[in-house]
Amino acid sequence: MDKSCLETSVSTSTIKQEYPLKIGIVGLGAFGQFLAKAFQKQGHNVLGTSRSDYSEYCKDNGIDFFRDLNGLCEAQPDVLLVCSSILSTEDVVRGIPFHKLRPDTIIADVLSVKQFAKNLLLDVVPSGFGILCTHPMFGKFSGKNSWEGLRFVFDKVRISGNSAQQRKCEQFLNIFQDEGCQMVEMSCEEHDQYAAESQFITHTVARILSNMNLESTPIDTKGYETLMQLTINTVSHGSDLYDGLFLYNVNAIKQIEKIEKAFDTVKQNLFGKLRDTLRRQIEESDSIKTTRETVPSTQFLPLSERAFKDLSSFSAVPEQTSQTSFQRETEVHHATL
């Protein structure tokens, strides 16, 4: 971050204490509550609404809870933060009663996909309102102890310069900087390209491992333990997040294709080495047979002629009595290559 940004953040720290923000959270689920704690910790007022009834939780934690968006907007927050799932965000945003908000209110989001969020907000949010697209690159597990050094990506899509709106925007961003986040300003388009190469791949690998039903063993390596923990943490987010990462990021399909191609390359290399080993054993089989009684064999593969009749069997997928639709689709796909 350049010097001017640092100076702005430092100056807003003083303003923040005198004029705390009123931050409205739409979607007080686990992540919304996770963020609310940091907002309150720094002296800001938190308001919230959600499809689920969190009135008791809010009462116990000093949050003003509203049964619906109308009540929350009538309270006129400075920042309205959308914390809904990717799949439900469009319905939520289109349901905001903007006429009940101050015309300079900042509408922000924390979605893991940014081009979709940006285009939606520009299409729906009236002119004059601020638009701030953000993505905390951490969650309730990775950020449970500290946000120090964790990345926070943001794009000031539409913020009026030299105005109260700009000051409120800097106050809001300063929350994350004061918590120790590494602030990364980049376009929504650039974010999605990077996110597909990192977050989506991480979730995809975790989903694959989850479907393998892996279990701990008495001789787990540290690497295996890391994979197990990755699977637990990632899959715990539920399918909505993963589905959203795929459906609403145009770069995700390319990554799926790259994963498939990479796995095929690894598999071909392994079976290629296996065929080379078998071929070498076949060539040496006659001489091995003549000395078999006096010299113990060091080969790990069977020496029977029957075992060598069809080397392609080592790279073939075993027949199964029943196939999943995914397996059938995969076979059709490969048959067309």
Side-chain angles (χ1 to χ4, degrees):
M1 183 174 290
D2 61 31
K3 184 178 179 181
S4 61
C5 292
L6 289 173
E7 289 176 348
T8 300
S9 299
V10 171
S11 65
T12 55
S13 294
T14 302
I15 296 174
K16 178 189 64 180
Q17 299 302 324
E18 297 179 14
Y19 306 101
L21 289 174
K22 188 186 292 185
I23 303 173
I25 298 178
V26 184
L28 268 176
F31 193 64
Q33 295 172 18
F34 172 69
L35 294 177
K37 291 177 181 178
F39 299 161
Q40 292 177 304
K41 174 184 174 183
Q42 295 198 27
H44 299 291
N45 301 315
V46 178
L47 305 76
T49 187
S50 195
R51 288 180 300 180
S52 301
D53 185 359
Y54 289 110
S55 55
E56 286 300 316
Y57 173 86
C58 290
K59 181 179 179 181
D60 294 340
N61 290 275
I63 299 173
D64 293 330
F65 184 75
F66 296 85
R67 297 290 179 179
D68 54 40
L69 261 173
N70 286 312
L72 177 58
C73 291
E74 285 174 353
Q76 297 193 328
D78 299 299
V79 178
L80 189 65
L81 184 64
V82 179
C83 289
S84 54
S85 70
I86 298 172
L87 302 182
S88 62
T89 293
E90 182 168 2
D91 288 340
V92 169
V93 171
R94 293 189 182 280
I96 297 173
F98 292 100
H99 63 283
K100 295 186 177 182
L101 294 166
R102 288 196 300 269
D104 65 343
T105 303
I106 296 171
I107 311 299
D109 81 284
V110 290
L111 294 192
S112 299
V113 290
K114 300 267 56 88
Q115 280 182 270
F116 163 70
K118 173 184 176 180
N119 293 338
L120 173 65
L121 294 175
L122 285 173
D123 180 53
V124 177
V125 178
S127 59
F129 286 80
I131 297 177
L132 176 66
C133 289
T134 79
H135 184 197
M137 304 299 295
F138 52 90
K140 59 181 182 179
F141 294 110
S142 56
K144 64 180 178 179
N145 296 320
S146 171
W147 295 2
E148 188 70 36
L150 301 178
R151 292 180 176 86
F152 181 85
V153 179
F154 64 98
D155 185 2
K156 300 176 185 177
V157 176
R158 192 172 72 196
I159 301 294
S160 298
N162 300 317
S163 65
Q165 186 180 88
Q166 184 181 39
R167 176 179 61 80
K168 292 175 183 178
C169 177
E170 294 302 331
Q171 282 183 260
F172 181 75
L173 292 175
N174 204 63
I175 296 172
F176 296 90
Q177 179 168 295
D178 282 358
E179 289 296 317
C181 288
Q182 181 180 338
M183 307 299 286
V184 182
E185 184 170 10
M186 67 169 54
S187 70
C188 292
E189 293 76 13
E190 192 176 10
H191 166 278
D192 280 6
Q193 181 179 346
Y194 288 134
E197 296 174 357
S198 58
Q199 186 183 25
F200 178 68
I201 286 181
T202 300
H203 279 254
T204 298
V205 170
R207 292 278 162 182
I208 293 171
L209 295 176
S210 174
N211 279 287
M212 292 175 65
N213 297 316
L214 300 178
E215 296 181 354
S216 295
T217 73
I219 55 171
D220 286 356
T221 63
K222 290 297 182 182
Y224 184 74
E225 290 176 354
T226 300
L227 287 178
M228 290 287 289
Q229 194 59 49
L230 167 69
T231 303
I232 294 170
N233 291 349
T234 306
V235 176
S236 67
H237 289 290
S239 61
D240 278 0
L241 173 58
Y242 183 62
D243 293 345
L245 291 175
F246 177 74
L247 296 173
Y248 291 88
N249 189 335
V250 297
N251 303 285
I253 293 178
K254 183 185 297 183
Q255 297 306 318
I256 285 283
E257 293 172 346
K258 287 175 67 176
I259 290 173
E260 183 180 23
K261 183 178 179 181
F263 179 76
D264 285 342
T265 299
V266 171
K267 181 180 177 181
Q268 289 169 13
N269 287 339
L270 289 175
F271 283 121
K273 293 176 181 178
L274 179 59
R275 286 191 291 270
D276 290 342
T277 301
L278 287 171
R279 188 175 296 108
R280 186 174 63 253
Q281 288 193 12
I282 291 174
E283 293 172 352
E284 298 173 354
S285 61
D286 289 339
S287 59
I288 291 176
K289 287 178 182 178
T290 60
T291 59
R292 197 169 180 182
E293 295 182 358
T294 58
V295 180
S297 173
T298 59
Q299 294 181 326
F300 67 93
L301 294 170
L303 292 174
S304 67
E305 294 181 2
R306 186 176 181 182
F308 303 129
K309 286 185 177 180
D310 185 10
L311 299 182
S312 64
S313 64
F314 283 90
S315 61
V317 179
E319 285 191 18
Q320 298 180 0
T321 55
S322 62
Q323 292 180 306
T324 64
S325 60
F326 177 79
Q327 288 173 317
R328 289 194 294 271
E329 292 172 4
T330 302
E331 290 179 1
V332 172
H333 168 69
H334 283 289
T336 61
L337 294 180

